[in-house]
Amino acid sequence: MLEAGVQAPDFELPDQEGNKVKLSDFKGKWVVLYFYPKDMTPGCTTEACNFQEALPAFQNMEAVVLGVSKDSVERHKKFSEKHNLQFRLLSDAESNVCETYGVWQEKNMYGRKYMGINRSTFLIDPDGKIARVYPKVKVKTHHEEVMNDLQKLKEGGKA
């Protein structure tokens, strides 16, 4: 998994409307880049809805929220519409970006091993460097943790 202090690798992925989105499009802004396993599942829905609820506060801090999973553009569109999400969900169907960021990992459920997205978030600064990495996310309070760290970083402190 990528670490804080390194340049965030640029990428281009389609959003829920099929529009191409590049990370470099957001240079000059903070980016909350969160990776999640699957649309329409309880944990992922909670996480997305929490980010949506906090979106005005993130926008006030000049931050953009981007969600990434392997789900298709069409599935992202349904998920976004169902929960009235006002931020972009990016489709990494081939898991190239997930692999680059190190979140495509072996998982183990009930003794069965498989590859999947490890729910993780990267807080990227306006210069495109990773400021903070969240490798183990607790969905109910994660948005608050990211927001608090972003506030501290913007004030010139350490997160």
Side-chain angles (χ1 to χ4, degrees):
M1 186 173 290
L2 295 175
E3 297 179 1
V6 303
Q7 193 70 26
D10 198 12
F11 59 79
E12 182 178 292
L13 291 173
D15 70 6
Q16 67 266 39
E17 300 298 328
N19 300 315
K20 298 286 185 193
V21 176
K22 288 184 183 176
L23 180 62
S24 56
D25 292 341
F26 303 102
K27 200 150 182 83
K29 290 184 177 267
W30 288 89
V31 176
V32 177
L33 181 65
Y34 82 95
F35 291 86
Y36 65 99
K38 195 160 184 57
D39 292 337
M40 310 290 188
T41 58
C44 296
T45 300
T46 297
E47 187 175 24
C49 290
N50 286 346
F51 273 123
Q52 176 57 44
E53 188 176 306
L55 191 61
F58 280 113
Q59 290 170 334
N60 286 340
M61 290 189 273
E62 299 170 351
V64 174
V65 176
L66 301 173
V68 180
S69 81
K70 284 182 54 79
D71 288 306
S72 68
V73 168
E74 296 77 21
R75 189 163 173 92
H76 277 338
K77 186 168 178 64
K78 286 179 188 168
F79 184 55
S80 180
E81 287 174 351
K82 180 175 183 177
H83 299 287
N84 196 29
L85 303 178
Q86 303 300 307
F87 57 88
R88 291 170 141 168
L89 300 177
L90 308 180
S91 175
D92 186 21
E94 303 298 318
S95 70
N96 294 329
V97 176
C98 292
E99 288 180 31
T100 299
Y101 277 76
V103 302
W104 186 247
Q105 299 176 358
E106 185 175 81
K107 298 174 119 185
N108 190 344
M109 186 182 291
Y110 306 118
R112 189 180 127 254
K113 293 183 190 243
Y114 63 98
M115 295 301 289
I117 294 175
N118 177 40
R119 188 185 309 276
S120 309
T121 300
F122 297 84
L123 181 57
I124 302 169
D125 75 16
D127 295 323
K129 281 204 168 125
I130 297 173
R132 182 90 163 74
V133 179
Y134 306 85
K136 293 192 176 16
V137 170
K138 291 183 173 58
V139 295
K140 289 187 178 176
T141 57
H142 182 55
H143 63 294
E144 295 166 348
E145 179 184 18
V146 175
M147 193 176 313
N148 290 336
D149 287 349
L150 176 58
Q151 188 67 47
K152 289 176 196 169
L153 289 164
K154 283 186 66 84
E155 292 170 357
K158 292 262 186 210

